[in-house]
Amino acid sequence: MKRHEALVQLSRDHHFGLLLCWKLKQGIVKNIGADRMERYISIFFNHNLAPHFAEEEETIFNILGEKHPLISEALTEHNIMREMVARGFSDIAEIQGFRDLLEVHIRKEERQIFPEIERQATDKQLRELLELPHPVLKEPEYDDQFWK
């Protein structure tokens, strides 16, 4: 999907989130213990998802406003995922729930929210987004590659 340059980096960041979903799916299929996947989720969340959520909330979501139904829903999902990670995961069902929510959330942003932002944002708003620094997201260092 072609993205406006102002949204390209955030869209690329979604690749890392979808990769996390894939890794968790692999761990679930391989019957990996919840504790092993929980450690990775926590590290990944702190290094990638938390800064990504903050960037979206502080920048692009403001274009539509928090009262917009898509943004309101996205903010709720961000908060649910924060709470899930803070609470921890005691079993595979909780990890599956987190994985499912993250995947649906990313796809909604890509298919609905980002296109809506591209439609409604002014040229000035898009230029201002381009001038902002973006946190550099990358795969966190992690020795227990349970997904392999």
Side-chain angles (χ1 to χ4, degrees), residues 69-123:
L70 289 171
I71 300 305
S72 176
E73 191 174 343
L75 290 168
T76 298
E77 291 167 353
H78 282 186
N79 288 331
I80 290 169
M81 286 184 274
R82 285 181 181 111
E83 290 169 9
M84 292 172 91
V85 171
R87 187 173 49 246
F89 302 93
S90 60
D91 59 37
I92 296 300
E94 290 178 352
I95 289 175
Q96 181 70 52
F98 175 82
R99 192 207 88 70
D100 291 348
L101 177 59
L102 179 59
E103 183 173 8
V104 166
H105 175 78
I106 291 170
R107 301 224 185 266
K108 184 184 312 158
E109 285 188 348
E110 286 293 326
R111 294 174 182 162
Q112 295 177 328
I113 295 174
F114 283 17
E116 187 67 16
I117 288 169
E118 288 171 329
R119 279 191 290 278
Q120 292 197 32
T122 65
D123 288 341

Side-chain angles (χ1 to χ4, degrees), residues 4 7 19 39 47 62 100 102 119 140 146:
H4 186 280
L7 298 175
L19 188 56
R39 283 191 295 274
H47 282 87
N62 293 331
D100 291 348
L102 179 59
R119 279 191 290 278
F146 58 82

Side-chain angles (χ1 to χ4, degrees), residues 16-62:
F16 288 108
L18 291 174
L19 188 56
L20 170 63
C21 293
W22 177 84
K23 289 175 179 179
L24 295 175
K25 184 176 183 178
Q26 295 305 307
I28 291 165
V29 167
K30 294 174 183 267
N31 293 314
I32 301 300
D35 58 325
R36 289 174 64 191
M37 289 189 279
E38 177 183 33
R39 283 191 295 274
Y40 186 71
I41 292 169
S42 179
I43 290 168
F44 188 93
F45 186 86
N46 291 322
H47 282 87
N48 287 318
L49 291 179
H52 177 81
F53 288 176
E55 181 177 12
E56 287 177 335
E57 292 166 4
E58 294 166 8
T59 61
I60 65 167
F61 286 3
N62 293 331

